[in-house]
Amino acid sequence: MADRSRNRRNGEDRPPFEPAGPGRPEGRIRALAILEEILKYTPQNDPRMGLLELLYEQLLADERQLREAQEMIRQFNETYEKLTAPANRIGTFLGSPQDGIAYIAVGDAEYYANVDPNLDIKKLKVGTRVKINEAFAVIGDIGYHPEGPIVKIAEVLPDGRLRIAMDAQMVSSRIVLRSSDLSEKALKVGDEVRLDPTMRVAIEHFQKSEIRGYFLEKIPEIPWEKIGGQEEAIRLIRDTIERPLLYPELYKKFGKRSLKGILLYGPPGCGKTLIGKATAYNLTQAYRERTGRDVREYFMLINGPQLLNMWLGETERFIREIFAAARERAKEGYLVFIFIDEADALLRVRSSGRYLNIANTVVPQFAAEMDGLVSLENVVVMLTSNRPDYIDPAILRPERIDRKVKVGRPNRDASRDIFAIYLNESVPLDPKTVQEYGGVEQARRALVEQAADYLFRKDRETAFLEVALKSGRRETLYWSDLVSGALIMSAVERAKDMAIRRCIEKGTDQEGVSLEDLKEAIRQEYKESEIFPKTDYLEDWLKLLDYDPEEVVEVRPVRGGRERRAGEMVV
Ligand SMILES: Nc1ncnc2c1ncn2[C@@H]1O[C@H](COP(=O)(O)OP(=O)(O)O)[C@@H](O)[C@H]1O
Ligand SMILES: [Mg+2]
């Protein structure tokens, strides 16, 4: 038949016939197959042929659209399924008890889980996170967690496991494993480690935090003789701190505890810090001699206000660390001194205004740390303060800081001794003075005596401060009432500067310190020293005075004769 040949031809440029029905591939329009059938039997010259071919083209276009739509739906479905599938849980890999099985922790629960055969279980590290599917099979490795709590190691067990402290006092603790990466690492008690989120594995190691270096003070050689005056304070310290440490057996035999701490109080510049350091130096020397061991002192100098000005909670953490470091060093054989300067700022009476909320936690914490110090531990706590009345009485109880030692202003003889310490054999003296007294040593002794006399005069020039008391009484304070070791030292340094200047001006090295230099230096100290406030502000002055602050109504500086007269004229 003619149409057959045409159809064959047609069939060549059309898609081959596919039977309509269930076997029809996706995306094919059934009507297209039927139309192809019709076309086969329609003669070429049939007047409807044009329309049929148009229909055929249209159906082909529809078929293409259908395919595109189906592809879009497929993609949508795929995305939808991805987004609605349950999330993978994450667990911590703890080990592999047998091949293909992982021992994992998820939250508080533990599982023996199958491992995806595509995953090499031998490459999994203890402590890393693993992905888990709904059947709790391990299907992926995602490495160590980047975050987690940091804790202190309290003990390293022989099998390598670690006992870690869960609180600062190390009262409660738990045992954790080491991660694969820490298995060979040398870990020490006191080091810090980071735990994985399930808190079962230590996964990162931190060296001990370096608080020690921060506070550590070098102690120069300060034999007791380098402190002028203060005999009473020094005797008290030696009796209460030195002796029990040197003769612990005797104290034990008599059932006496050694002292844990003392408070040094008194006006600034009179030697509190100096005495603290001297205690550390001399005690260590004596201890070394007595025990025959090469003991070292470990002097931690801590500034009270500085410690207080930390972030909330940091102060407490620092106090803990200070005491922890002290104990540790004591265990290593050091004699440890915790020296807290201006302790009143830190350990203020709990009810007093300015430091109210902070002191509330710092004081009990400090008290607890003191109680935690065993007296045999060779740790001595020293506090200093200008205002011991501000320190919370909870701190100044027996068994804590049980001795108060006054480091007061030097009297005339002590002042002479301090002059002698700084105007010592190494300081060149004025040749005329040496000649006059018939020898260097005689001249030095005379200069020291006369400088002390000059400073301790009570006359118009040395009147320094007027104090009005509540009782209505007015008292005049003289230079000597405000003298300090620091002032005397500074005056001697000034006098040396004057002699040096003369040497330079005269082009000689034969000049030396004279009585005139010392006098001028002392005058300058009282005129411009940093020690004295530049204002009449009462609070500033009260720190320097020996009066009960409650009793003082007003202070008025009397600086030099001229100003004084001017003041009198105005009144
Ligand atoms: N009694 C003293 N003997 C010798 N030097 C002293 C004496 N008191 C103070 N000084 C000198 O003054 C400096 C400051 O004294 P310091 O001990 O810091 O006083 P404080 O701690 O009481 O404010 C010391 O380093 C020392 O040089
Ligand atoms: Mg000091």
Side-chain angles (χ1 to χ4, degrees), residues 263-448:
L263 166 71
L264 304 172
Y265 70 101
C270 291
K272 297 185 292 294
T273 308
L274 186 69
I275 289 176
K277 290 183 176 176
T279 304
Y281 171 78
N282 290 292
L283 188 48
T284 309
Q285 295 287 105
Y287 198 83
R288 218 179 278 167
E289 270 165 38
R290 169 138 178 92
T291 60
R293 286 192 289 128
D294 183 28
V295 242
R296 297 264 146 89
E297 76 277 336
Y298 197 82
F299 195 83
M300 300 166 87
L301 183 62
I302 293 139
N303 178 275
Q306 201 182 326
L307 197 58
L308 190 69
N309 283 338
M310 298 185 131
W311 295 101
L312 199 68
E314 280 284 280
T315 308
E316 288 83 341
R317 193 175 68 81
F318 254 70
I319 289 177
R320 276 200 303 273
E321 294 211 3
I322 287 161
F323 277 88
R327 274 191 218 104
E328 212 171 282
R329 283 292 147 140
K331 256 185 233 146
E332 290 169 15
Y334 285 85
L335 282 183
V336 182
F337 300 84
I338 302 177
F339 190 90
I340 304 182
D341 232 347
E342 297 185 56
D344 50 289
L346 194 66
L347 304 171
R348 202 157 269 243
V349 182
R350 264 170 284 186
S351 57
S352 75
R354 186 139 65 113
Y355 299 105
L356 182 66
N357 38 7
I358 299 166
N360 264 338
T361 52
V362 169
V363 167
Q365 155 120 48
F366 192 88
E369 293 289 353
M370 285 295 302
D371 295 345
L373 275 188
V374 181
S375 52
L376 295 172
E377 264 182 336
N378 291 357
V379 178
V380 177
V381 181
M382 290 191 263
L383 311 182
T384 79
S385 174
N386 295 330
R387 293 300 307 268
D389 50 319
Y390 282 167
I391 296 182
D392 197 300
I395 299 296
L396 303 177
R397 265 184 20 197
E399 306 273 291
R400 288 179 189 157
I401 305 292
D402 35 9
R403 279 290 194 294
K404 284 199 230 173
V405 179
K406 169 138 191 174
V407 180
R409 294 193 183 280
N411 58 20
R412 189 218 165 264
D413 285 355
S415 295
R416 175 205 52 210
D417 292 347
I418 299 173
F419 271 116
I421 287 169
Y422 295 103
L423 196 70
N424 54 37
E425 314 81 63
S426 71
V427 183
L429 301 183
D430 169 49
K432 267 187 262 138
T433 314
V434 172
Q435 207 173 23
E436 191 183 326
Y437 289 95
V440 178
E441 273 327 297
Q442 292 87 322
R444 196 181 310 281
R445 267 201 298 276
L447 282 183
V448 160

Side-chain angles (χ1 to χ4, degrees), residues 20-265:
R24 182 175 55 99
E26 216 184 315
R28 291 236 62 184
I29 293 180
R30 194 165 178 216
L32 200 59
I34 298 170
L35 181 59
E36 278 179 344
E37 261 332 84
I38 293 171
L39 279 173
K40 250 193 240 173
Y41 301 106
T42 309
Q44 192 66 39
N45 55 357
D46 192 303
R48 290 160 300 183
M49 197 58 184
L51 280 174
L52 282 176
E53 281 189 335
L54 253 176
L55 179 61
Y56 186 79
E57 295 302 324
Q58 183 57 49
L59 284 175
L60 265 184
D62 288 354
E63 191 182 73
R64 261 198 314 278
Q65 262 187 11
L66 176 69
R67 281 202 185 132
E68 280 167 17
Q70 277 173 338
E71 172 59 18
M72 235 149 87
I73 290 174
R74 197 189 58 73
Q75 282 178 7
F76 274 130
N77 269 338
E78 208 176 270
T79 311
Y80 176 80
E81 265 165 30
K82 258 191 203 157
L83 291 181
T84 53
N88 285 125
R89 263 170 253 248
I90 291 176
T92 299
F93 180 71
L94 300 177
S96 172
Q98 70 190 71
D99 207 30
I101 300 290
Y103 173 37
I104 58 172
V106 183
D108 281 339
E110 297 167 21
Y111 302 91
Y112 267 20
N114 287 312
V115 178
D116 180 349
N118 293 322
L119 207 64
D120 185 358
I121 193 165
K122 295 203 178 62
K123 284 204 177 132
L124 287 178
K125 290 177 174 178
V126 173
T128 52
R129 293 167 302 166
V130 286
K131 231 184 327 185
I132 295 153
N133 69 8
E134 275 174 282
F136 278 86
V138 173
I139 56 166
D141 169 15
I142 42 179
Y144 290 114
H145 201 287
E147 303 158 16
I150 291 185
V151 291
K152 254 205 173 84
I153 299 176
E155 188 180 352
V156 180
L157 302 183
D159 61 5
R161 288 176 303 156
L162 306 170
R163 188 163 70 80
I164 52 144
M166 301 303 287
D167 59 87
Q169 278 71 37
M170 301 208 180
V171 173
S172 73
S173 57
R174 70 184 287 173
I175 303 283
V176 299
L177 302 174
R178 294 182 187 215
S179 72
S180 299
D181 287 348
L182 294 189
S183 62
E184 300 297 324
K185 194 132 193 174
L187 303 178
K188 289 194 307 295
V189 172
D191 281 2
E192 289 180 325
V193 286
R194 183 166 61 84
L195 299 182
D196 83 294
T198 68
M199 313 252 279
R200 289 159 182 269
V201 189
I203 57 179
E204 191 176 359
H205 174 223
F206 294 89
Q207 295 289 347
K208 239 179 256 182
S209 72
E210 265 318 308
I211 183 167
R212 300 140 188 82
Y214 183 65
F215 286 123
L216 190 61
E217 270 291 300
K218 266 219 138 356
I219 301 289
E221 285 187 23
I222 315 173
W224 293 119
E225 303 81 67
K226 280 210 183 166
I227 299 172
Q230 309 299 359
E231 291 86 4
E232 181 63 19
I234 293 171
R235 192 186 54 74
L236 234 158
I237 288 174
R238 301 191 71 168
D239 283 358
T240 51
I241 298 182
E242 189 170 297
R243 220 176 279 151
L245 270 171
L246 293 184
Y247 305 95
E249 322 79 32
L250 269 180
Y251 276 72
K252 212 167 169 183
K253 191 168 173 190
F254 283 88
K256 276 186 77 86
R257 291 164 176 280
S258 69
L259 203 80
K260 289 185 197 165
I262 56 167
L263 166 71
L264 304 172
Y265 70 101

